[in-house]
Amino acid sequence: MLEARGLVYRYPDSSRGLEACSLAIAPGSRNALLGANGSGKTTLLQHFNALLRPTGGELHLGGQALTYSRAELKALRCRVGLVFQNPDRQLFSASVEEDVSFGPLNLGLDEATVRERVAAALAATGMTACAARPVHQLSHGQKKRVCIAGVLAMHPEVLLLDEPMAGLDAAMQRELLTLLDDLSGQGISIVVATHDIDFAYAWADRVHLLQAGRCLASFAADEWPAWRQTLLAAGQPLPAVLELQQQLQRLGIVDSAPARSLTELVAALAEKPADFAVDRRKEV
Ligand SMILES: Nc1ncnc2c1ncn2[C@@H]1O[C@H](COP(=O)(O)OP(=O)(O)O)[C@@H](O)[C@H]1O
Ligand SMILES: [Mg+2]
């Protein structure tokens, strides 16, 4: 669907953004981009929707190298939507409705279609009631949702989110997760740049680990344990649930397949008979 092939990027001040970065996003997949601060996550996302043009290498969309012609850029930005880390960088219209309408209007869609898309995007993000409100009066979490609505109104095939959980409280994080689940249920590919390794472990089916502008590893969700050393070397701890599960397995307390979340692990433990721990003590 979307593939970085040996992308190199130098910022105007010649600092290194990307260094031969290669990775692929499969259709309908849930991807986590992991990596320390400055590893190139934001720079890569900005290449994925061509806000930045690589100094070297190629970006492929649907198997074709992007030539960065006007027509191709327009098509790419319809198919691949980016939600910035900072909503204030993304929102610029006076009202919520105006902001979400901007993209579809720019596509030259007729008014009725635009209205329909905007209403659907606001409903999907739970922002219908705020449609007429001035953007500057919204909370950070609400602004974030307006940004997502603006991208959804374009009907993208790929949704890119840069640190979407940052600055959201726990309830808002849960709501965002539900929204991401809905969207990936509709077949949209999602790429989330994140520092939150536990979220990545619970949510992603594919992980891409960046370090110093390169992709060190791309692996499937069931391969986390095998990449332990690489993750540690790139400054990323193992997910807490996985560490705990491995310890419990070593102690013979759980033997089920790895849990993806603390809730799942607790459920597996709850299935153990109440006298299990006492019996184990006798054995020891
Ligand atoms: N506007 C910029 N000008 C110069 N260097 C930049 C700029 N933005 C990012 N960089 C550099 O590019 C590298 C990758 O940064 P970034 O993509 O922001 O990483 P991440 O999102 O993983 O924290 C870092 O070394 C960073 O200092
Ligand atoms: Mg970043």
Side-chain angles (χ1 to χ4, degrees), residues 9-18 34-46 52 85 162-163 193 195 210 212-213:
Y9 185 73
R10 296 277 177 276
Y11 280 96
D13 67 356
S14 82
S15 32
R16 177 189 58 201
L18 294 175
L34 293 178
N37 268 336
S39 60
K41 302 182 295 296
T42 297
T43 309
L44 180 62
L45 290 183
Q46 293 190 347
L52 295 177
Q85 179 171 3
D162 200 354
E163 314 262 359
H195 280 293
L210 300 194

PDB file of all heavy atoms in Angstrom, residues 9-18 34-46 52 85 162-163 193 195 210 212-213, ligand 1:
ATOM      1  N   TYR A   9      16.571  11.796   4.313  1.00  0.00           N
ATOM      2  CA  TYR A   9      16.137  13.194   4.369  1.00  0.00           C
ATOM      3  C   TYR A   9      17.074  14.028   5.229  1.00  0.00           C
ATOM      4  O   TYR A   9      17.426  13.642   6.346  1.00  0.00           O
ATOM      5  CB  TYR A   9      14.708  13.317   4.914  1.00  0.00           C
ATOM      6  CG  TYR A   9      14.231  14.745   4.861  1.00  0.00           C
ATOM      7  CD1 TYR A   9      13.889  15.326   3.643  1.00  0.00           C
ATOM      8  CD2 TYR A   9      14.187  15.539   6.011  1.00  0.00           C
ATOM      9  CE1 TYR A   9      13.492  16.661   3.571  1.00  0.00           C
ATOM     10  CE2 TYR A   9      13.788  16.875   5.942  1.00  0.00           C
ATOM     11  CZ  TYR A   9      13.444  17.425   4.718  1.00  0.00           C
ATOM     12  OH  TYR A   9      13.068  18.742   4.654  1.00  0.00           O
ATOM     13  N   ARG A  10      17.489  15.136   4.660  1.00  0.00           N
ATOM     14  CA  ARG A  10      18.293  16.119   5.400  1.00  0.00           C
ATOM     15  C   ARG A  10      17.471  17.378   5.545  1.00  0.00           C
ATOM     16  O   ARG A  10      16.902  17.867   4.566  1.00  0.00           O
ATOM     17  CB  ARG A  10      19.571  16.477   4.622  1.00  0.00           C
ATOM     18  CG  ARG A  10      20.531  15.322   4.444  1.00  0.00           C
ATOM     19  CD  ARG A  10      21.422  15.147   5.674  1.00  0.00           C
ATOM     20  NE  ARG A  10      22.303  13.980   5.513  1.00  0.00           N
ATOM     21  CZ  ARG A  10      21.960  12.732   5.773  1.00  0.00           C
ATOM     22  NH1 ARG A  10      20.741  12.447   6.203  1.00  0.00           N
ATOM     23  NH2 ARG A  10      22.810  11.749   5.600  1.00  0.00           N
ATOM     24  N   TYR A  11      17.374  17.895   6.764  1.00  0.00           N
ATOM     25  CA  TYR A  11      16.690  19.172   6.967  1.00  0.00           C
ATOM     26  C   TYR A  11      17.567  20.292   6.387  1.00  0.00           C
ATOM     27  O   TYR A  11      18.781  20.088   6.177  1.00  0.00           O
ATOM     28  CB  TYR A  11      16.420  19.383   8.465  1.00  0.00           C
ATOM     29  CG  TYR A  11      15.195  18.610   8.931  1.00  0.00           C
ATOM     30  CD1 TYR A  11      15.313  17.353   9.513  1.00  0.00           C
ATOM     31  CD2 TYR A  11      13.916  19.135   8.740  1.00  0.00           C
ATOM     32  CE1 TYR A  11      14.180  16.631   9.906  1.00  0.00           C
ATOM     33  CE2 TYR A  11      12.783  18.417   9.131  1.00  0.00           C
ATOM     34  CZ  TYR A  11      12.919  17.183   9.712  1.00  0.00           C
ATOM     35  OH  TYR A  11      11.804  16.484  10.090  1.00  0.00           O
ATOM     36  N   PRO A  12      16.959  21.453   6.136  1.00  0.00           N
ATOM     37  CA  PRO A  12      17.721  22.556   5.524  1.00  0.00           C
ATOM     38  C   PRO A  12      19.013  22.891   6.280  1.00  0.00           C
ATOM     39  O   PRO A  12      20.006  23.296   5.670  1.00  0.00           O
ATOM     40  CB  PRO A  12      16.738  23.736   5.563  1.00  0.00           C
ATOM     41  CG  PRO A  12      15.394  23.094   5.534  1.00  0.00           C
ATOM     42  CD  PRO A  12      15.537  21.802   6.281  1.00  0.00           C
ATOM     43  N   ASP A  13      18.994  22.705   7.609  1.00  0.00           N
ATOM     44  CA  ASP A  13      20.229  23.000   8.365  1.00  0.00           C
ATOM     45  C   ASP A  13      21.182  21.802   8.327  1.00  0.00           C
ATOM     46  O   ASP A  13      22.125  21.740   9.102  1.00  0.00           O
ATOM     47  CB  ASP A  13      19.893  23.365   9.816  1.00  0.00           C
ATOM     48  CG  ASP A  13      19.326  22.190  10.604  1.00  0.00           C
ATOM     49  OD1 ASP A  13      19.109  21.098  10.005  1.00  0.00           O
ATOM     50  OD2 ASP A  13      19.096  22.337  11.815  1.00  0.00           O
ATOM     51  N   SER A  14      20.893  20.860   7.437  1.00  0.00           N
ATOM     52  CA  SER A  14      21.674  19.641   7.179  1.00  0.00           C
ATOM     53  C   SER A  14      21.613  18.587   8.297  1.00  0.00           C
ATOM     54  O   SER A  14      22.343  17.598   8.236  1.00  0.00           O
ATOM     55  CB  SER A  14      23.120  19.955   6.755  1.00  0.00           C
ATOM     56  OG  SER A  14      23.921  20.198   7.889  1.00  0.00           O
ATOM     57  N   SER A  15      20.726  18.786   9.298  1.00  0.00           N
ATOM     58  CA  SER A  15      20.597  17.679  10.263  1.00  0.00           C
ATOM     59  C   SER A  15      19.870  16.508   9.610  1.00  0.00           C
ATOM     60  O   SER A  15      19.052  16.677   8.707  1.00  0.00           O
ATOM     61  CB  SER A  15      19.935  18.086  11.576  1.00  0.00           C
ATOM     62  OG  SER A  15      19.000  19.075  11.394  1.00  0.00           O
ATOM     63  N   ARG A  16      20.229  15.322  10.133  1.00  0.00           N
ATOM     64  CA  ARG A  16      19.708  14.099   9.525  1.00  0.00           C
ATOM     65  C   ARG A  16      18.300  13.793  10.014  1.00  0.00           C
ATOM     66  O   ARG A  16      18.067  13.641  11.213  1.00  0.00           O
ATOM     67  CB  ARG A  16      20.637  12.942   9.902  1.00  0.00           C
ATOM     68  CG  ARG A  16      20.158  11.590   9.376  1.00  0.00           C
ATOM     69  CD  ARG A  16      20.983  10.475   9.947  1.00  0.00           C
ATOM     70  NE  ARG A  16      20.925  10.487  11.417  1.00  0.00           N
ATOM     71  CZ  ARG A  16      21.817   9.925  12.201  1.00  0.00           C
ATOM     72  NH1 ARG A  16      22.864   9.331  11.693  1.00  0.00           N
ATOM     73  NH2 ARG A  16      21.690   9.966  13.513  1.00  0.00           N
ATOM     74  N   GLY A  17      17.362  13.695   9.095  1.00  0.00           N
ATOM     75  CA  GLY A  17      15.987  13.327   9.453  1.00  0.00           C
ATOM     76  C   GLY A  17      15.792  11.835   9.264  1.00  0.00           C
ATOM     77  O   GLY A  17      15.338  11.140  10.162  1.00  0.00           O
ATOM     78  N   LEU A  18      16.149  11.341   8.088  1.00  0.00           N
ATOM     79  CA  LEU A  18      16.053   9.906   7.788  1.00  0.00           C
ATOM     80  C   LEU A  18      17.346   9.457   7.107  1.00  0.00           C
ATOM     81  O   LEU A  18      17.999  10.217   6.412  1.00  0.00           O
ATOM     82  CB  LEU A  18      14.876   9.628   6.846  1.00  0.00           C
ATOM     83  CG  LEU A  18      13.467   9.883   7.383  1.00  0.00           C
ATOM     84  CD1 LEU A  18      12.431   9.668   6.278  1.00  0.00           C
ATOM     85  CD2 LEU A  18      13.158   9.002   8.596  1.00  0.00           C
ATOM     86  N   LEU A  34       7.773   2.901  16.525  1.00  0.00           N
ATOM     87  CA  LEU A  34       8.425   3.110  17.817  1.00  0.00           C
ATOM     88  C   LEU A  34       9.817   3.685  17.601  1.00  0.00           C
ATOM     89  O   LEU A  34      10.415   3.509  16.538  1.00  0.00           O
ATOM     90  CB  LEU A  34       8.572   1.773  18.549  1.00  0.00           C
ATOM     91  CG  LEU A  34       7.302   1.075  19.022  1.00  0.00           C
ATOM     92  CD1 LEU A  34       7.680  -0.255  19.682  1.00  0.00           C
ATOM     93  CD2 LEU A  34       6.541   1.948  19.999  1.00  0.00           C
ATOM     94  N   GLY A  35      10.342   4.303  18.624  1.00  0.00           N
ATOM     95  CA  GLY A  35      11.700   4.825  18.539  1.00  0.00           C
ATOM     96  C   GLY A  35      11.861   5.973  19.515  1.00  0.00           C
ATOM     97  O   GLY A  35      10.898   6.664  19.838  1.00  0.00           O
ATOM     98  N   ALA A  36      13.105   6.170  19.964  1.00  0.00           N
ATOM     99  CA  ALA A  36      13.392   7.230  20.923  1.00  0.00           C
ATOM    100  C   ALA A  36      13.106   8.594  20.287  1.00  0.00           C
ATOM    101  O   ALA A  36      12.918   8.694  19.072  1.00  0.00           O
ATOM    102  CB  ALA A  36      14.859   7.138  21.345  1.00  0.00           C
ATOM    103  N   ASN A  37      13.121   9.629  21.103  1.00  0.00           N
ATOM    104  CA  ASN A  37      13.020  10.997  20.591  1.00  0.00           C
ATOM    105  C   ASN A  37      14.081  11.230  19.546  1.00  0.00           C
ATOM    106  O   ASN A  37      15.232  10.852  19.729  1.00  0.00           O
ATOM    107  CB  ASN A  37      13.297  11.993  21.729  1.00  0.00           C
ATOM    108  CG  ASN A  37      12.016  12.398  22.420  1.00  0.00           C
ATOM    109  OD1 ASN A  37      10.945  12.316  21.820  1.00  0.00           O
ATOM    110  ND2 ASN A  37      12.131  12.809  23.663  1.00  0.00           N
ATOM    111  N   GLY A  38      13.686  11.840  18.440  1.00  0.00           N
ATOM    112  CA  GLY A  38      14.668  12.175  17.415  1.00  0.00           C
ATOM    113  C   GLY A  38      15.030  11.009  16.516  1.00  0.00           C
ATOM    114  O   GLY A  38      15.942  11.117  15.685  1.00  0.00           O
ATOM    115  N   SER A  39      14.320   9.876  16.638  1.00  0.00           N
ATOM    116  CA  SER A  39      14.674   8.709  15.810  1.00  0.00           C
ATOM    117  C   SER A  39      14.115   8.829  14.394  1.00  0.00           C
ATOM    118  O   SER A  39      14.491   8.055  13.509  1.00  0.00           O
ATOM    119  CB  SER A  39      14.183   7.419  16.476  1.00  0.00           C
ATOM    120  OG  SER A  39      12.780   7.453  16.644  1.00  0.00           O
ATOM    121  N   GLY A  40      13.208   9.775  14.159  1.00  0.00           N
ATOM    122  CA  GLY A  40      12.734  10.012  12.789  1.00  0.00           C
ATOM    123  C   GLY A  40      11.263   9.701  12.551  1.00  0.00           C
ATOM    124  O   GLY A  40      10.803   9.727  11.406  1.00  0.00           O
ATOM    125  N   LYS A  41      10.503   9.455  13.616  1.00  0.00           N
ATOM    126  CA  LYS A  41       9.086   9.075  13.451  1.00  0.00           C
ATOM    127  C   LYS A  41       8.286  10.173  12.738  1.00  0.00           C
ATOM    128  O   LYS A  41       7.588   9.911  11.761  1.00  0.00           O
ATOM    129  CB  LYS A  41       8.455   8.768  14.818  1.00  0.00           C
ATOM    130  CG  LYS A  41       9.159   7.654  15.585  1.00  0.00           C
ATOM    131  CD  LYS A  41       8.472   7.353  16.912  1.00  0.00           C
ATOM    132  CE  LYS A  41       8.519   8.489  17.921  1.00  0.00           C
ATOM    133  NZ  LYS A  41       9.879   8.851  18.392  1.00  0.00           N
ATOM    134  N   THR A  42       8.403  11.390  13.256  1.00  0.00           N
ATOM    135  CA  THR A  42       7.645  12.502  12.673  1.00  0.00           C
ATOM    136  C   THR A  42       8.101  12.765  11.235  1.00  0.00           C
ATOM    137  O   THR A  42       7.287  12.967  10.331  1.00  0.00           O
ATOM    138  CB  THR A  42       7.819  13.772  13.534  1.00  0.00           C
ATOM    139  OG1 THR A  42       7.265  13.505  14.826  1.00  0.00           O
ATOM    140  CG2 THR A  42       7.119  14.968  12.931  1.00  0.00           C
ATOM    141  N   THR A  43       9.397  12.728  11.029  1.00  0.00           N
ATOM    142  CA  THR A  43       9.934  12.961   9.681  1.00  0.00           C
ATOM    143  C   THR A  43       9.402  11.912   8.709  1.00  0.00           C
ATOM    144  O   THR A  43       9.009  12.236   7.584  1.00  0.00           O
ATOM    145  CB  THR A  43      11.487  12.922   9.717  1.00  0.00           C
ATOM    146  OG1 THR A  43      11.947  13.799  10.750  1.00  0.00           O
ATOM    147  CG2 THR A  43      12.079  13.337   8.388  1.00  0.00           C
ATOM    148  N   LEU A  44       9.337  10.669   9.142  1.00  0.00           N
ATOM    149  CA  LEU A  44       8.830   9.605   8.266  1.00  0.00           C
ATOM    150  C   LEU A  44       7.345   9.821   7.955  1.00  0.00           C
ATOM    151  O   LEU A  44       6.923   9.718   6.795  1.00  0.00           O
ATOM    152  CB  LEU A  44       9.052   8.232   8.915  1.00  0.00           C
ATOM    153  CG  LEU A  44       8.547   7.053   8.082  1.00  0.00           C
ATOM    154  CD1 LEU A  44       9.279   6.972   6.737  1.00  0.00           C
ATOM    155  CD2 LEU A  44       8.700   5.738   8.838  1.00  0.00           C
ATOM    156  N   LEU A  45       6.550  10.140   8.986  1.00  0.00           N
ATOM    157  CA  LEU A  45       5.113  10.378   8.752  1.00  0.00           C
ATOM    158  C   LEU A  45       4.925  11.517   7.749  1.00  0.00           C
ATOM    159  O   LEU A  45       4.057  11.468   6.885  1.00  0.00           O
ATOM    160  CB  LEU A  45       4.394  10.709  10.060  1.00  0.00           C
ATOM    161  CG  LEU A  45       4.238   9.574  11.072  1.00  0.00           C
ATOM    162  CD1 LEU A  45       3.444  10.047  12.292  1.00  0.00           C
ATOM    163  CD2 LEU A  45       3.539   8.362  10.449  1.00  0.00           C
ATOM    164  N   GLN A  46       5.772  12.534   7.861  1.00  0.00           N
ATOM    165  CA  GLN A  46       5.640  13.672   6.939  1.00  0.00           C
ATOM    166  C   GLN A  46       6.055  13.304   5.516  1.00  0.00           C
ATOM    167  O   GLN A  46       5.638  13.954   4.566  1.00  0.00           O
ATOM    168  CB  GLN A  46       6.422  14.869   7.467  1.00  0.00           C
ATOM    169  CG  GLN A  46       5.769  15.376   8.761  1.00  0.00           C
ATOM    170  CD  GLN A  46       6.307  16.688   9.259  1.00  0.00           C
ATOM    171  OE1 GLN A  46       7.338  17.165   8.798  1.00  0.00           O
ATOM    172  NE2 GLN A  46       5.631  17.272  10.216  1.00  0.00           N
ATOM    173  N   LEU A  52       7.018  16.361   3.249  1.00  0.00           N
ATOM    174  CA  LEU A  52       8.452  16.472   2.997  1.00  0.00           C
ATOM    175  C   LEU A  52       8.787  15.603   1.794  1.00  0.00           C
ATOM    176  O   LEU A  52       8.182  14.548   1.594  1.00  0.00           O
ATOM    177  CB  LEU A  52       9.264  16.002   4.214  1.00  0.00           C
ATOM    178  CG  LEU A  52       9.119  16.830   5.486  1.00  0.00           C
ATOM    179  CD1 LEU A  52       9.918  16.192   6.626  1.00  0.00           C
ATOM    180  CD2 LEU A  52       9.588  18.263   5.262  1.00  0.00           C
ATOM    181  N   GLN A  85       0.946  15.990  15.617  1.00  0.00           N
ATOM    182  CA  GLN A  85       1.030  15.842  17.076  1.00  0.00           C
ATOM    183  C   GLN A  85       0.359  17.043  17.758  1.00  0.00           C
ATOM    184  O   GLN A  85      -0.379  16.886  18.706  1.00  0.00           O
ATOM    185  CB  GLN A  85       2.498  15.734  17.487  1.00  0.00           C
ATOM    186  CG  GLN A  85       2.665  15.605  18.993  1.00  0.00           C
ATOM    187  CD  GLN A  85       4.087  15.287  19.390  1.00  0.00           C
ATOM    188  OE1 GLN A  85       4.980  15.219  18.544  1.00  0.00           O
ATOM    189  NE2 GLN A  85       4.308  15.101  20.666  1.00  0.00           N
ATOM    190  N   ASP A 162       0.466  11.173  14.666  1.00  0.00           N
ATOM    191  CA  ASP A 162       1.738  11.429  15.338  1.00  0.00           C
ATOM    192  C   ASP A 162       1.490  11.617  16.835  1.00  0.00           C
ATOM    193  O   ASP A 162       0.899  12.621  17.237  1.00  0.00           O
ATOM    194  CB  ASP A 162       2.391  12.678  14.730  1.00  0.00           C
ATOM    195  CG  ASP A 162       3.879  12.738  15.019  1.00  0.00           C
ATOM    196  OD1 ASP A 162       4.381  11.877  15.781  1.00  0.00           O
ATOM    197  OD2 ASP A 162       4.545  13.645  14.479  1.00  0.00           O
ATOM    198  N   GLU A 163       1.910  10.652  17.627  1.00  0.00           N
ATOM    199  CA  GLU A 163       1.754  10.702  19.089  1.00  0.00           C
ATOM    200  C   GLU A 163       0.328  11.095  19.499  1.00  0.00           C
ATOM    201  O   GLU A 163       0.137  12.064  20.241  1.00  0.00           O
ATOM    202  CB  GLU A 163       2.722  11.725  19.700  1.00  0.00           C
ATOM    203  CG  GLU A 163       4.134  11.637  19.183  1.00  0.00           C
ATOM    204  CD  GLU A 163       5.064  10.855  20.103  1.00  0.00           C
ATOM    205  OE1 GLU A 163       4.599  10.400  21.167  1.00  0.00           O
ATOM    206  OE2 GLU A 163       6.229  10.690  19.729  1.00  0.00           O
ATOM    207  N   ALA A 193       2.628   6.858  15.406  1.00  0.00           N
ATOM    208  CA  ALA A 193       3.939   7.074  16.023  1.00  0.00           C
ATOM    209  C   ALA A 193       3.697   7.230  17.509  1.00  0.00           C
ATOM    210  O   ALA A 193       2.840   8.016  17.912  1.00  0.00           O
ATOM    211  CB  ALA A 193       4.592   8.327  15.458  1.00  0.00           C
ATOM    212  N   HIS A 195       5.323   6.733  21.827  1.00  0.00           N
ATOM    213  CA  HIS A 195       6.336   6.392  22.832  1.00  0.00           C
ATOM    214  C   HIS A 195       5.782   5.321  23.748  1.00  0.00           C
ATOM    215  O   HIS A 195       6.494   4.808  24.593  1.00  0.00           O
ATOM    216  CB  HIS A 195       6.626   7.606  23.713  1.00  0.00           C
ATOM    217  CG  HIS A 195       7.536   8.569  23.088  1.00  0.00           C
ATOM    218  ND1 HIS A 195       8.851   8.277  22.834  1.00  0.00           N
ATOM    219  CD2 HIS A 195       7.344   9.824  22.640  1.00  0.00           C
ATOM    220  CE1 HIS A 195       9.413   9.306  22.264  1.00  0.00           C
ATOM    221  NE2 HIS A 195       8.529  10.260  22.120  1.00  0.00           N
ATOM    222  N   LEU A 210      12.315   2.485  14.852  1.00  0.00           N
ATOM    223  CA  LEU A 210      13.250   3.419  14.232  1.00  0.00           C
ATOM    224  C   LEU A 210      14.383   3.767  15.190  1.00  0.00           C
ATOM    225  O   LEU A 210      14.186   3.857  16.396  1.00  0.00           O
ATOM    226  CB  LEU A 210      12.548   4.722  13.829  1.00  0.00           C
ATOM    227  CG  LEU A 210      11.387   4.670  12.832  1.00  0.00           C
ATOM    228  CD1 LEU A 210      11.075   6.066  12.309  1.00  0.00           C
ATOM    229  CD2 LEU A 210      11.689   3.761  11.663  1.00  0.00           C
ATOM    230  N   ALA A 212      17.868   6.495  14.855  1.00  0.00           N
ATOM    231  CA  ALA A 212      18.731   7.383  14.071  1.00  0.00           C
ATOM    232  C   ALA A 212      18.325   7.420  12.592  1.00  0.00           C
ATOM    233  O   ALA A 212      19.167   7.327  11.701  1.00  0.00           O
ATOM    234  CB  ALA A 212      20.194   6.957  14.224  1.00  0.00           C
ATOM    235  N   GLY A 213      17.024   7.542  12.356  1.00  0.00           N
ATOM    236  CA  GLY A 213      16.541   7.719  10.983  1.00  0.00           C
ATOM    237  C   GLY A 213      16.416   6.458  10.151  1.00  0.00           C
ATOM    238  O   GLY A 213      16.047   6.510   8.990  1.00  0.00           O
TER     239      GLY A 213
HETATM  240  N1  LIG B   1      12.688  21.226  11.604  1.00  0.00           N
HETATM  241  C1  LIG B   1      13.815  20.564  11.830  1.00  0.00           C
HETATM  242  N2  LIG B   1      15.021  21.108  11.515  1.00  0.00           N
HETATM  243  C2  LIG B   1      16.178  20.428  11.717  1.00  0.00           C
HETATM  244  N3  LIG B   1      16.247  19.181  12.208  1.00  0.00           N
HETATM  245  C3  LIG B   1      15.095  18.582  12.530  1.00  0.00           C
HETATM  246  C4  LIG B   1      13.815  19.230  12.366  1.00  0.00           C
HETATM  247  N4  LIG B   1      12.845  18.374  12.766  1.00  0.00           N
HETATM  248  C5  LIG B   1      13.471  17.247  13.170  1.00  0.00           C
HETATM  249  N5  LIG B   1      14.818  17.368  13.026  1.00  0.00           N
HETATM  250  C6  LIG B   1      15.814  16.339  13.340  1.00  0.00           C
HETATM  251  O1  LIG B   1      15.509  15.159  12.617  1.00  0.00           O
HETATM  252  C7  LIG B   1      15.706  14.005  13.433  1.00  0.00           C
HETATM  253  C8  LIG B   1      14.416  13.213  13.504  1.00  0.00           C
HETATM  254  O2  LIG B   1      13.452  13.981  14.197  1.00  0.00           O
HETATM  255  P1  LIG B   1      11.929  13.582  14.327  1.00  0.00           P
HETATM  256  O3  LIG B   1      11.462  13.038  13.051  1.00  0.00           O
HETATM  257  O4  LIG B   1      11.220  14.754  14.886  1.00  0.00           O
HETATM  258  O5  LIG B   1      12.014  12.402  15.405  1.00  0.00           O
HETATM  259  P2  LIG B   1      10.880  11.789  16.377  1.00  0.00           P
HETATM  260  O6  LIG B   1       9.551  12.181  15.825  1.00  0.00           O
HETATM  261  O7  LIG B   1      11.132  10.313  16.339  1.00  0.00           O
HETATM  262  O8  LIG B   1      11.139  12.352  17.731  1.00  0.00           O
HETATM  263  C9  LIG B   1      16.198  14.510  14.784  1.00  0.00           C
HETATM  264  O9  LIG B   1      17.604  14.424  14.809  1.00  0.00           O
HETATM  265  C10 LIG B   1      15.748  15.948  14.796  1.00  0.00           C
HETATM  266  O10 LIG B   1      16.620  16.743  15.562  1.00  0.00           O
END
